[in-house]
């Protein structure tokens, strides 16, 4: 018995409609559940899960760590993006004053640091990512991840073209 997953051709990827939302507790368990739900949802449609799940895990962990407000959940939304072959991940929380600095790329932490690499991973795995503000006091960290279309993507786009776009609503 083999456990291989094949990616549908690009023509089929464009036809796949994906849009699910979940409210989750701003805890480690909530971040883990966000990742597991994403894997289950994408897997049920025969879509590859690894890169999207990694981005969801990082953004959800940031919402649980930096965006936590007692008694308030964070919202996960995973959907097909406007461009074909892209999945858009959105994680919203209620701490807009604690947002990544969109003015400069994330800097690698010291080699011995135990944290601080999440946004570097998000930038590396996504085509684009950023932060949108509003309605107050909310912020949404988002990323668009390319799905492989039967062939491996080379990731040839420079990090500068993937750097976050920031908007205030």
């Amino acid at each position: 018995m083999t456990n291989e997953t094949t990616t549908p051709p690009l023509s089929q990827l464009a036809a796949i409609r994906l849009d699910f939302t979940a409210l989750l507790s701003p805890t480690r368990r909530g971040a883990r559940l966000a990742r597991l739900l994403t894997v289950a949802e994408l897997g049920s449609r025969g879509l590859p899960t690894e890169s999207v799940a990694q981005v969801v895990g990082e953004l959800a962990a940031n919402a649980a760590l930096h965006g936590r407000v007692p008694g308030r959940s964070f919202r996960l939304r995973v959907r097909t993006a406007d461009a074909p072959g892209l999945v858009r991940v959105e994680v919203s929380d209620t701490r807009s004053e604690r947002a990544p600095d969109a003015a400069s790329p994330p800097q690698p932490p010291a080699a011995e640091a135990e944290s601080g690499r999440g946004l570097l991973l998000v930038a590396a795995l996504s085509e684009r990512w950023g932060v949108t503000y509003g309605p107050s006091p909310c912020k949404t960290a988002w990323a668009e991840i390319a799905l492989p279309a039967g062939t491996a993507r080379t990731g040839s786009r420079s990090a500068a073209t993937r750097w976050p776009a920031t908007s205030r609503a």
Side-chain angles (χ1 to χ4, degrees):
M1 181 173 151
T2 61
N3 208 10
E4 294 181 20
T5 302
T6 57
T7 303
L10 186 56
S11 59
Q12 289 179 6
L13 285 175
I16 294 175
R17 298 304 309 159
L18 171 70
D19 193 350
F20 76 92
T21 303
L23 288 176
L24 301 157
S25 65
T27 62
R28 287 183 183 182
R29 177 177 274 174
R32 181 174 180 267
L33 184 57
R35 185 179 175 130
L36 292 172
L37 287 170
T38 300
V39 168
E41 192 71 29
L42 292 175
S44 72
R45 289 174 165 77
L47 297 173
T49 62
E50 188 174 334
S51 294
V52 178
Q54 183 69 38
V55 169
V56 166
E58 296 300 336
L59 294 180
N62 283 350
L65 180 64
H66 304 294
R68 181 183 182 135
V69 173
R72 297 209 176 157
S73 301
F74 72 87
R75 182 176 57 93
L76 167 69
R77 183 179 184 198
V78 179
R79 64 182 177 90
T80 47
D82 295 334
L86 291 178
V87 170
R88 184 174 173 102
V89 172
E90 299 172 352
V91 177
S92 302
D93 64 56
T94 54
R95 296 280 309 266
S96 61
E97 77 279 5
R98 302 221 36 206
D101 179 14
S104 60
Q107 298 301 310
E112 64 278 355
E114 294 182 10
S115 64
R117 294 171 181 82
L119 291 180
L120 289 169
L121 287 170
V122 170
L125 293 172
S126 62
E127 295 296 309
R128 299 182 323 134
W129 75 277
V131 178
T132 304
Y133 297 89
S136 186
C138 295
K139 75 171 178 299
T140 300
W142 58 268
E144 293 178 346
I145 302 99
L147 296 174
T151 59
R153 289 185 61 89
T154 62
S156 59
R157 293 182 60 195
S158 72
T161 62
R162 292 185 291 211
W163 189 242
T166 303
S167 65
R168 294 213 180 252

